[in-house]
Amino acid sequence: MDIFTKAMWLGTLIFMGFSLAKDRQKTKKALKMALGMGRGMALNIFSIIFAIGFILTLIPPENIATFIRTHSIFLATVGGALLGTVTLVPAFVAFPLVGTLLDAGVDIMPSVAFLTTLTMVGVVTLPLEKKTFGAKFTGVRNGLSFIFALIIAIVMGVII
């Protein structure tokens, strides 16, 4: 466990102690509510994790690299961005995956487009996000994230 994670756990325990000392009943009620919300979202979260694993099994990084490498830089960037929108993947999974693409000879712009959409846009997570935040927010957030992912990819392509 890294120092940041340990600090987060320590901070959580300290503030939990303060909360318990101040009002034990409210703290217990809040914890019960949080547990209930967690149970309600558990099926959706497990479905998302399953979908991520299934998609990465169906589309291995080598196939993604081959698809992106065989097109013009513009099509590869847009294609990489679209491939990245399939699922929302945590950064600790996305960075090594993109490293594999770079090692396979994929240009930086499509790789960055893939990475940014992979971590910011998620079609698989849309139902959960829509249920939690509403359809309008979900649509605007994912649309803007996609646009900004392309902008970031272009900027990184120019810089690097």
Side-chain angles (χ1 to χ4, degrees), residues 25-45:
Q25 290 304 93
K26 277 188 179 179
T27 303
K28 285 182 180 179
K29 184 178 176 184
L31 288 172
K32 284 181 184 178
M33 286 175 56
L35 185 62
M37 289 172 63
R39 282 188 192 142
M41 292 173 51
L43 180 60
N44 289 327
I45 291 170

Side-chain angles (χ1 to χ4, degrees), residues 9 13 23 27 34 36 44 52 79 93 99 101 130-131 140 145-146 149:
W9 274 104
L13 291 173
D23 191 336
T27 303
N44 289 327
I52 290 168
V93 174
L101 295 180
K130 186 174 150 185
K131 181 180 171 186
V140 169
S145 294
F146 186 80

Side-chain angles (χ1 to χ4, degrees), residues 121 126 129-130 133-146:
V121 183
L126 282 176
E129 190 175 351
K130 186 174 150 185
F133 299 116
K136 184 177 179 182
F137 175 85
T138 300
V140 169
R141 190 200 69 75
N142 279 290
L144 287 174
S145 294
F146 186 80

